[in-house]
Amino acid sequence: MLLVIPAVLDSARLDQVRSLLDQGEFVDGRLSAGDSARRVKRNEELDPGFRHLQQLNHLVMGALVQHPLYQAAAMPYRVATPYYVRYTRGMAYGDHVDDPVMGPPGGQYRSDISTSVFLNPPDQYDGGELVVRTSYGQQSIKLAAGDAVLYPSSSLHHINEITRGERLVAVTWAQSMLRDPQRRELLFQLYQARETLRASQPESEVSTQVDQVYVNLTRMWSEL
Ligand code: NI
């Protein structure tokens, strides 16, 4: 499942994020890459020692992780602190699959879901599309500032070369309580049906039944 969540960051938050990022230094992104990614990765990442990193993470991840659609679609068990990634002219990230296990020893997690939060508007750069290969073909994604996209970490994806300007994104990964992407997708569909029923006929018997099935399927399939 590939899901776009619009306006995860509002314009006030985006302004704060970008003014913090303006004060940061960016370093070669290959430093954080696994063996196979290193060969195809050409981008820059915010210096992990940046003094305002916590504030930045709070602004971005606070909004993302609390978003009801992120919660429902990802069912996150562990969520990684993000990388802030910059691509300037000539940079790209070739086809790769994200590392299966990430995090420091003792704080490791499995990457089930990759998320990119777009931090600057698409008219500020040419190229730079995130291209994800799905079972229904390739999807090319270039979103408004503040929007987020979620896709399975198991999918092959790349970032097209930037031919003008600068692309800024926050990228993060989650280990889901539901390891199986098909189960996640089914539960997300059921969640959407439940929300529709809750809004249109909150007191109805069918609304209660669908809610019960959603809750108990979540209980049956969750692994912690
Ligand atoms: Ni990737």
Side-chain angles (χ1 to χ4, degrees), residues 5-10 13 57-76 79-80 115 117 148 150 172 174 191 195:
I5 308 180
V8 168
L9 301 178
D10 59 24
R13 251 180 216 249
N57 290 345
H58 186 74
L59 283 165
V60 173
M61 297 308 283
L64 178 68
V65 171
Q66 284 166 29
H67 197 292
L69 281 181
Y70 180 82
Q71 281 292 333
M75 298 227 156
V79 181
T115 302
V117 184
L150 279 61
T172 181
Y191 164 85
E195 290 306 295

Side-chain angles (χ1 to χ4, degrees), residues 87-91 126-128 159-165 167:
Y87 292 80
T88 55
R89 197 166 162 236
M91 293 184 179
D126 291 329
I159 306 291
N160 284 336
E161 184 175 320
I162 279 67
T163 54
R164 176 190 64 89
R167 174 186 190 264

Side-chain angles (χ1 to χ4, degrees), residues 120-126 142-145 164-166:
N120 69 329
D123 60 6
Q124 288 184 357
Y125 56 97
D126 291 329
K142 188 168 180 175
L143 300 176
R164 176 190 64 89
E166 175 180 294

Side-chain angles (χ1 to χ4, degrees), residues 7-218:
V8 168
L9 301 178
D10 59 24
S11 57
R13 251 180 216 249
L14 269 175
D15 287 348
Q16 285 177 281
V17 167
R18 281 203 300 256
S19 76
L20 285 171
L21 283 176
D22 279 346
Q23 301 169 46
E25 264 190 59
F26 284 77
V27 298
D28 189 339
R30 278 171 290 202
L31 295 172
S32 70
D35 279 345
S36 60
R38 196 170 294 134
R39 276 176 283 148
V40 291
K41 190 176 186 186
R42 276 180 290 139
N43 62 17
E44 296 174 320
E45 287 164 5
L46 183 66
D47 173 10
F50 178 49
R51 66 187 192 285
H52 297 306
L53 194 60
Q54 275 207 340
Q55 196 184 346
L56 203 49
N57 290 345
H58 186 74
L59 283 165
V60 173
M61 297 308 283
L64 178 68
V65 171
Q66 284 166 29
H67 197 292
L69 281 181
Y70 180 82
Q71 281 292 333
M75 298 227 156
Y77 174 51
R78 293 200 172 105
V79 181
T81 53
Y83 286 99
Y84 300 89
V85 187
R86 182 168 76 181
Y87 292 80
T88 55
R89 197 166 162 236
M91 293 184 179
Y93 198 158
D95 261 328
H96 66 282
V97 183
D98 292 342
D99 288 342
V101 177
M102 302 193 193
Q108 289 179 307
Y109 60 93
R110 186 184 64 237
S111 61
D112 293 319
I113 296 159
S114 305
T115 302
S116 297
V117 184
F118 289 70
L119 299 179
N120 69 329
D123 60 6
Q124 288 184 357
Y125 56 97
D126 291 329
E129 297 84 3
L130 164 66
V131 181
V132 183
R133 284 197 217 174
T134 72
S135 42
Y136 302 103
Q138 287 203 148
Q139 295 242 28
S140 179
I141 299 138
K142 188 168 180 175
L143 300 176
D147 292 0
V149 61
L150 279 61
Y151 56 98
S153 302
S154 54
S155 55
L156 202 58
H157 57 279
H158 68 263
I159 306 291
N160 284 336
E161 184 175 320
I162 279 67
T163 54
R164 176 190 64 89
E166 175 180 294
R167 174 186 190 264
L168 270 179
V169 289
V171 295
T172 181
W173 293 267
Q175 176 171 335
S176 179
M177 291 186 285
L178 273 71
R179 180 176 192 162
D180 179 354
Q182 286 181 312
R183 287 184 176 180
R184 275 203 305 276
E185 185 159 3
L186 279 174
L187 262 192
F188 185 60
Q189 287 170 349
L190 190 55
Y191 164 85
Q192 288 171 307
R194 182 186 75 153
E195 290 306 295
T196 304
L197 284 172
R198 274 183 162 180
S200 63
Q201 37 181 306
E203 310 296 337
S204 72
E205 177 72 12
V206 67
S207 184
T208 308
Q209 286 168 337
V210 168
D211 180 61
Q212 185 185 10
V213 173
Y214 174 73
V215 168
N216 285 332
L217 266 183
T218 304

